[in-house]
């Protein structure tokens, strides 16, 4: 994996963990505190424990190790694939964001047994009941960038 990808993996991991520490441990957003309005209704901090994948799907204690293993396998595959993919700097950055975000969520699962979530965004009269975290943003954004940037082998043939 390239140095640029490692740098952005570290940045994504560090920002994810720093944001969780700031909101959960410094602001005191927890299950008993209720929401913390930042810019309601667009942005609120609401404590969440995600035992599954997105939106808590398939969450229980047995699956915790499955999700850790799956995330580590995806990171390992990206590390193997990236030098072979022929992507430019933006692609390397996207891969780093996915890896850093995934490792941030893995760290949570190892430390707490679940992923800490706290971001809630609603708009236009629609009340979003779900919460997510900064790692999820990096994973989604990085994966979206990789999908857009990955060369189509059918077009190359």
């Amino acid at each position: 994996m390239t140095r640029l990808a490692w740098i952005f993996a570290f940045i994504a991991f560090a920002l994810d963990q720093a944001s969780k520490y700031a909101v959960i441990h410094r602001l005191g957003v927890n299950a008993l505190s209720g929401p913390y309005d930042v810019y309601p209704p667009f942005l609120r901090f609401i404590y969440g424990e995600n035992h599954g994948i997105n939106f808590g799907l398939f969450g229980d204690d047995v699956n915790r190790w499955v999700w850790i293993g799956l995330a580590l396998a995806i990171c390992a595959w990206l590390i193997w694939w990236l030098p072979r993919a022929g992507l430019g700097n933006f692609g390397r950055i996207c891969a780093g964001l996915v890896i850093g975000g995934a490792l941030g969520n893995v760290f949570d699962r190892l430390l707490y047994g679940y992923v800490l979530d706290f971001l809630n965004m609603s708009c236009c009269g629609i009340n979003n009941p779900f919460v997510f975290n900064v790692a999820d943003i990096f994973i989604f954004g990085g994966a979206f960038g990789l999908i857009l940037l990955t060369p189509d082998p059918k077009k190359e043939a």
Side-chain angles (χ1 to χ4, degrees), residues 19-129:
S19 67
K20 290 171 183 171
Y21 179 79
V23 172
I24 304 299
H25 299 291
R26 300 300 292 166
L27 280 178
V29 175
N30 58 53
L32 301 176
S33 71
Y36 183 92
D37 289 335
V38 178
Y39 188 65
F42 302 106
L43 178 61
R44 300 171 83 194
F45 294 157
I46 300 175
Y47 180 81
E49 297 176 0
N50 187 348
H51 294 265
I53 56 173
N54 285 352
F55 312 118
L57 296 172
F58 311 113
D60 62 34
D61 290 333
V62 175
N63 287 337
R64 167 187 177 199
W65 298 105
V66 172
W67 304 136
I68 289 171
L70 182 61
L72 293 175
I74 291 169
C75 289
W77 182 83
L78 278 170
I79 291 167
W80 172 85
W81 172 78
L82 188 58
R84 293 158 180 78
L87 299 177
N89 286 342
F90 188 70
R92 294 179 188 123
I93 290 169
C94 288
L97 294 176
V98 172
I99 292 167
L103 292 178
N105 284 343
V106 164
F107 185 77
D108 282 5
R109 288 187 196 280
L110 292 171
L111 189 62
Y112 305 112
Y114 51 83
V115 175
L116 280 173
D117 288 333
F118 64 90
L119 293 168
N120 174 261
M121 301 180 82
S122 297
C123 179
C124 314
I126 299 170
N127 185 20
N128 176 17

Side-chain angles (χ1 to χ4, degrees), residues 142-151:
F144 187 73
L146 286 174
I147 290 167
L148 292 177
L149 295 171
T150 302

